[in-house]
């Protein structure tokens, strides 16, 4: 019975991560469309899902410990699913456990790929904003003077269109 609970917790964890993956696609579209409101909504949705995933992960750990207690193992080590599967001798149950693990790993890999893509998109957007600001304002020349010399009054040259000093 505890093995079925462990499999159910893995499947629930996978469903939550699939929802997070769907939100990452919405987030990508929001970044590409410069839709700040949608980006805010998806970020808030991600926060809620992350809390649910954290709770489900605690359930999964408890189910793994319950399974080990059922098998007579009194250790509270955090064993991996692969290690736990060595304790399952029924081929059908072992296959279901490993299939649930495989699905979760696949979803997590896809989620990582989507998060890396979104991170690159945000980084490129910030670089473009920085480049645009530098075109408008221009970069300020460095005005380093030696500490033993009195600073001369001079105005820094700016190459930009917009004078931000005003």
């Amino acid at each position: 019975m505890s093995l079925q609970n462990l499999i159910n917790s893995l499947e629930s964890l996978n469903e939550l991560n699939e929802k997070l993956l769907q939100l990452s696609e919405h987030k990508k579209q929001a970044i590409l469309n410069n839709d700040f409101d949608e980006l805010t909504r998806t970020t808030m949705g991600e926060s809620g899902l992350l809390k649910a995933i954290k709770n489900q992960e605690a359930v999964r750990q408890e189910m793994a410990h319950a399974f080990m207690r059922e098998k007579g193992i009194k250790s509270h080590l955090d064993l991996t699913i692969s290690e736990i599967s060595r304790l399952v001798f029924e081929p059908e149950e072992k296959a279901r456990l490993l299939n649930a693990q495989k699905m979760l790993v696949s979803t997590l890999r896809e989620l990582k790929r989507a998060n890396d893509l979104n991170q690159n998109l945000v980084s490129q957007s910030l670089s473009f904003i920085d480049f645009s600001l530098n075109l408008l304002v221009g970069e300020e020349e460095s005005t380093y003077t030696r500490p033993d010399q009195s600073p001369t009054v001079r105005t820094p040259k700016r190459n930009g269109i917009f004078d931000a000093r005003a």
Side-chain angles (χ1 to χ4, degrees):
M1 184 63 183
S2 60
L3 181 63
Q4 184 58 44
N5 291 338
L6 178 60
I7 292 170
N8 290 343
S9 70
L10 286 172
E11 290 172 347
S12 295
L13 204 53
N14 189 40
E15 288 173 13
L16 290 171
N17 280 297
E18 284 177 345
K19 289 179 183 175
L20 196 58
L21 183 60
Q22 290 172 352
L23 271 183
S24 72
E25 290 297 321
H26 292 287
K27 189 175 191 177
K28 181 179 90 178
Q29 288 304 317
I31 293 169
L32 291 174
N33 296 333
N34 289 328
D35 188 354
F36 187 73
D37 293 334
E38 180 64 23
L39 185 62
T40 302
R41 277 192 295 274
T42 56
T43 303
M44 290 174 60
E46 284 178 338
S47 295
L49 275 174
L50 289 175
K51 287 179 187 174
I53 288 172
K54 183 180 177 182
N55 292 337
Q56 188 60 40
E57 177 62 22
V59 169
R60 186 204 58 81
Q61 286 180 346
E62 178 55 35
M63 294 300 116
H65 289 149
F67 174 74
M68 290 191 314
R69 280 192 303 271
E70 188 178 287
K71 292 292 181 184
I73 300 171
K74 295 185 179 185
S75 172
H76 281 282
L77 294 174
D78 290 329
L79 298 178
T80 64
I81 297 299
S82 297
E83 293 167 336
I84 289 174
S85 71
R86 293 183 193 141
L87 302 172
V88 179
F89 301 111
E90 185 69 34
E92 280 185 31
E93 290 179 338
K94 190 172 194 167
R96 287 182 26 233
L97 178 65
L98 291 176
N99 188 41
Q101 176 200 27
K102 184 179 172 183
M103 297 291 288
L104 181 59
V105 168
S106 173
T107 302
L108 291 176
R109 280 191 185 132
E110 189 66 24
L111 187 59
K112 179 174 177 9
R113 184 201 59 75
N115 281 337
D116 288 345
L117 177 64
N118 285 341
Q119 187 176 7
N120 284 337
L121 288 173
V122 168
S123 176
Q124 288 176 0
S125 293
L126 290 174
S127 294
F128 179 73
I129 289 170
D130 188 47
F131 175 75
S132 298
L133 282 175
N134 283 336
L135 276 180
L136 289 175
V137 177
E139 292 186 38
E140 189 171 320
E141 290 182 22
S142 64
T143 56
Y144 175 76
T145 56
R146 290 179 40 187
D148 58 339
Q149 292 181 342
S150 64
T152 59
V153 178
R154 81 177 226 215
T155 57
K157 292 182 180 177
R158 294 179 171 259
N159 297 330
I161 300 169
F162 180 73
D163 187 6
R165 293 176 293 159

